[in-house]
Amino acid sequence: MSAKIIDGKAMATAIRMKLGADVSGFKEKPGLAVILVGDDPASQIYVRNKIKACESVGIKSFESRLPGQVTEAEVAAEIKAFNDNPTVHGILLQLPLPAHLNSHRLTQAIAPEKDVDGLTVTNAGKLFLGMDDGLIPCTPQGSMILIRSFVRELAGLNAVVIGRSNLFGKPMAQLLLRENCTVTTAHSRTKNLDDVCAQADILVAAVGRPRLVKQDWIKRGACVIDVGINRDADGKLCGDVDYEGALSVAGAITPVPGGVGPMTIACLLSNTVKAYQFKRASGSQAA
Ligand code: NAP
């Protein structure tokens, strides 16, 4: 048996084409503001890719680059200016921030209706309560689309998510629960992680440890979503799953690169369009 490779790149391209067609019919263009603090090389690449992706679908991008020594009050003022700008529909604060800045406080300063990363208390709470008028974090949202492309009926399946970050693990678990999966969230204190994973019909790894998940941790036929982006000892890009080993056991697996990563960007664009549409709908109700 050889696992189906879930092609995140192709699925992301399809989403982007649909968004591009939708946006071309809008009177006003949606706008996404990206705030980058400092000169972390990886963050610079992520921001550049996000801005290019915006342009490709007709979303107007606003880029704010702040020096690494900026004060928290200055970043907060930048966020407030974008909160108040009616042509900006989404705001993304690129993480991680330099250590002297409080990421939680600054993230919470983003207006919830513009919080395209879905990290504010309002959006996290809406996801927790099962409300569908919130903005869902991009990577779990994209991962869910990838899972659905392979698993038709999710109800009653065992899903294991390794990782419990606010950005990924917790919202991913909520999305799977919403689909009536029986969800286990594993983390660094989980005992017998291999046995826990072996129960999973859907196994999602978001740890940040190269090839942590071994072939014999995977249930035959499972859907494996590899969120991790790592460099191995040879400097090669790899995920959290032993991809080569998993191929002969899993039913389907996402590659790294070309799996979850492109879907994250597609869902960022989709969230920006959603935020734009929410604003238009609330404006027309008020009129
Ligand atoms: P994070 O905040 O560092 O969280 C990592 C999680 O893994 C934590 O919950 C941690 O447990 C758990 N963990 C660490 N070592 C473990 C071990 N040996 N066994 C079991 N669990 C362990 O990371 P994140 O932001 O969620 O990201 C995770 C990975 O996904 C990273 O590689 C990141 O680059 C990647 N990522 C990719 C995308 C994409 O678009 N493809 C987007 C976001 C993140 P504790 O809570 O107990 O410490």
Side-chain angles (χ1 to χ4, degrees):
M1 172 173 153
S2 186
K4 178 191 170 198
I5 315 288
I6 304 179
D7 187 347
K9 208 169 160 195
M11 290 176 69
T13 301
I15 292 172
R16 284 164 63 156
M17 282 178 67
K18 161 93 173 60
L19 286 172
D22 290 350
V23 170
S24 69
F26 295 167
K27 266 198 206 137
E28 187 199 337
K29 294 294 170 221
L32 174 68
V34 183
I35 303 172
L36 174 63
V37 183
D39 51 12
D40 175 62
S43 293
Q44 295 205 9
I45 295 170
Y46 292 145
V47 164
R48 200 182 317 135
N49 288 343
K50 287 168 186 174
I51 287 171
K52 267 190 6 205
C54 282
E55 283 161 6
S56 74
V57 299
I59 292 175
K60 187 171 164 32
S61 58
F62 300 76
E63 194 180 348
S64 169
R65 285 175 180 264
L66 301 171
Q69 311 75 13
V70 72
T71 65
E72 193 169 316
E74 286 169 321
V75 183
E78 194 74 357
I79 292 172
K80 182 170 185 325
F82 285 133
N83 281 343
D84 294 343
N85 182 340
T87 64
V88 170
H89 304 90
I91 302 171
L92 185 152
L93 178 63
Q94 183 67 40
L95 301 175
L97 294 175
H100 69 284
L101 300 173
N102 184 319
S103 301
H104 173 74
R105 220 164 24 219
L106 286 169
T107 302
Q108 299 309 317
I110 296 171
E113 67 277 13
K114 298 191 181 189
D115 165 32
V116 283
D117 260 341
L119 293 174
T120 55
V121 168
T122 302
N123 283 316
K126 285 185 174 182
L127 176 60
F128 189 85
L129 294 179
M131 296 164 70
D132 56 13
D133 63 342
L135 292 163
I136 297 170
C138 305
T139 310
Q141 191 185 146
S143 300
M144 203 66 230
I145 297 170
L146 296 173
I147 292 168
R148 278 211 210 91
S149 77
F150 179 69
V151 188
R152 295 258 173 270
E153 179 56 61
L154 280 94
L157 296 184
N158 283 335
V160 173
V161 180
I162 322 176
R164 55 173 164 180
S165 66
N166 291 335
L167 190 68
F168 186 82
K170 286 179 193 162
M172 186 73 239
Q174 286 300 324
L175 288 174
L176 288 160
L177 192 58
R178 233 189 218 195
E179 298 285 348
N180 298 311
C181 290
T182 303
V183 184
T184 303
T185 302
H187 45 78
S188 66
R189 308 288 185 89
T190 298
K191 293 195 171 91
N192 306 322
L193 184 59
D194 50 349
D195 291 340
V196 172
C197 291
Q199 303 300 315
D201 302 302
I202 298 167
L203 178 59
V204 185
V207 184
R209 302 269 186 280
R211 304 187 185 100
L212 172 83
V213 177
K214 308 286 180 279
Q215 183 186 47
D216 60 358
W217 298 20
I218 298 169
K219 182 175 175 179
R220 188 156 289 279
C223 176
V224 179
I225 304 294
D226 192 350
V227 183
I229 305 174
N230 313 293
R231 296 260 169 211
D232 66 12
D234 302 325
K236 192 170 170 249
L237 199 63
C238 69
D240 290 341
V241 179
D242 168 17
Y243 182 75
E244 299 302 329
L247 280 176
S248 57
V249 188
I253 185 166
T254 58
V256 178
V260 174
M263 290 299 286
T264 298
I265 297 197
C267 289
L268 171 68
L269 304 177
S270 161
N271 270 356
T272 305
V273 170
K274 195 172 176 189
Y276 168 89
Q277 287 169 323
F278 280 160
K279 188 188 161 209
R280 303 280 301 180
S282 66
S284 61
Q285 269 168 17

